[in-house]
Amino acid sequence: MLITLDAALDKPLYAQIRDQIRERIVTGALKIGERLEPSRELAKRLGVHRTTVSNAYAELEADGLIEGTVGRGTFVSQLAAELRQS
């Protein structure tokens, strides 16, 4: 999953991550049930702190777009399908 961050923007990095993942879910680029990259790996790849990615994932989970299970990973939720139809 390609995510690009721009530190020069007024938008916090976690929000940039959240919005780019949200866009991919809503457009169908990320499929229902698809596993997201682990937060630790994504943070390392993007060169940000793991908390930055965790905050993005937490907001996506609060919105019902993803769901995480300890030991299994984080996946695009079934609820995301309803948002695509709206």
Side-chain angles (χ1 to χ4, degrees):
M1 169 171 52
L2 178 65
I3 293 178
T4 56
L5 300 177
D6 186 349
L9 293 177
D10 285 337
K11 183 186 265 188
L13 295 176
Y14 84 90
Q16 292 179 47
I17 295 167
R18 177 200 63 210
D19 292 348
Q20 289 178 53
I21 294 172
R22 176 182 284 131
E23 178 67 21
R24 285 176 177 82
I25 291 171
V26 170
T27 63
L30 282 171
K31 308 291 183 216
I32 303 302
E34 188 169 340
R35 187 174 192 264
L36 298 182
E37 192 169 353
S39 61
R40 189 173 282 139
E41 291 176 21
L42 182 57
K44 183 177 181 179
R45 188 169 58 78
L46 295 175
V48 298
H49 195 278
R50 183 177 176 203
T51 303
T52 303
V53 175
S54 294
N55 288 341
Y57 279 14
E59 288 199 5
L60 290 165
E61 190 164 12
D63 291 343
L65 292 171
I66 65 173
E67 50 193 5
T69 305
V70 175
R72 281 194 53 224
T74 303
F75 300 85
V76 177
S77 76
Q78 191 66 37
L79 186 61
E82 295 175 24
L83 296 173
R84 289 182 187 162
Q85 297 170 1
S86 304

